[in-house]
Amino acid sequence: VIDGVTFNSGSGIPAGFISIGYGTIRDIGITNATVNGSVTGGGLPGQGSGLIANSYFTGTVNDSSGSYVGGLAGALQAGSYVYKSWTNATVTGGANGGAGGLVGSVNYYYGSQPVIQNSYALGAVTGGRAVGGLIGVNGGANLISDYASGNVIDSGTAASSAAAAGGLVGENDNGSITGSYPAGNVSGGQ
């Protein structure tokens, strides 16, 4: 377990324990930590793809000027598999990106479909566009037996009228959801 650390990124660089991670993150615990990003930010990888298993993050993740921010990962791509991982983080996103308690954004344009399974998020999430208790923008991931219990607040600062807030997912674009549920309150939005 890694405790009480702060991760700051420079301009245009993803922030997290790992800035950009393609590979395996397994059995990693980070507690009482702070992530301050400027483009994407997450507790473990700022962005990437691969396996994240049996891992967790507690603390705060802030990326008010960036695109995607999440308690565990800022942005994940095709081939990602998140399994038995969790967060208890206060997540704050910007006006035009995605903010999620677990993952800010999951994108799937080619390759194997991302999967998030048996994972959960407990902390509050605030953002201005796509805000979700578990995922801000689900661009094609398969969610299986996941949940989110933190409160979700859409700050209403989105530049477009496409702002969306959801207890589990803020914006679901071709993603599938099976046996998953939210348990927090949702407020704000358009």
Side-chain angles (χ1 to χ4, degrees):
V1 175
I2 300 167
D3 184 70
V5 294
T6 298
F7 306 107
N8 296 310
S9 74
S11 178
I13 300 171
F17 175 62
I18 300 168
S19 176
I20 301 173
Y22 295 93
T24 298
I25 299 172
R26 186 191 301 271
D27 302 321
I28 299 292
I30 299 177
T31 58
N32 303 308
T34 301
V35 175
N36 296 308
S38 64
V39 59
T40 60
L44 294 180
Q47 72 179 51
S49 69
L51 173 68
I52 302 175
N54 300 310
S55 297
Y56 60 91
F57 176 91
T58 71
T60 61
V61 182
N62 305 297
D63 201 341
S64 59
S65 63
S67 297
Y68 301 109
V69 58
L72 194 71
L76 294 177
Q77 299 166 0
S80 296
Y81 182 31
V82 178
Y83 181 68
K84 288 189 176 179
S85 296
W86 61 273
T87 62
N88 188 357
T90 300
V91 176
T92 304
N96 294 307
L102 194 73
V103 181
S105 171
V106 184
N107 291 314
Y108 170 52
Y109 300 111
Y110 58 87
S112 59
Q113 183 180 28
V115 175
I116 298 176
Q117 185 174 12
N118 296 120
S119 297
Y120 60 91
L122 304 177
V125 185
T126 302
R129 194 189 132 240
V131 191
L134 192 75
I135 299 177
V137 178
N138 181 14
N142 187 7
L143 310 185
I144 305 169
S145 301
D146 303 305
Y147 71 91
S149 64
N151 292 331
V152 175
I153 302 167
D154 187 326
S155 60
T157 58
S160 73
S161 61
L168 192 69
V169 176
E171 178 183 317
N172 192 53
D173 182 11
N174 295 317
S176 62
I177 301 172
T178 304
S180 301
Y181 64 92
N185 296 318
V186 178
S187 61
Q190 308 233 354

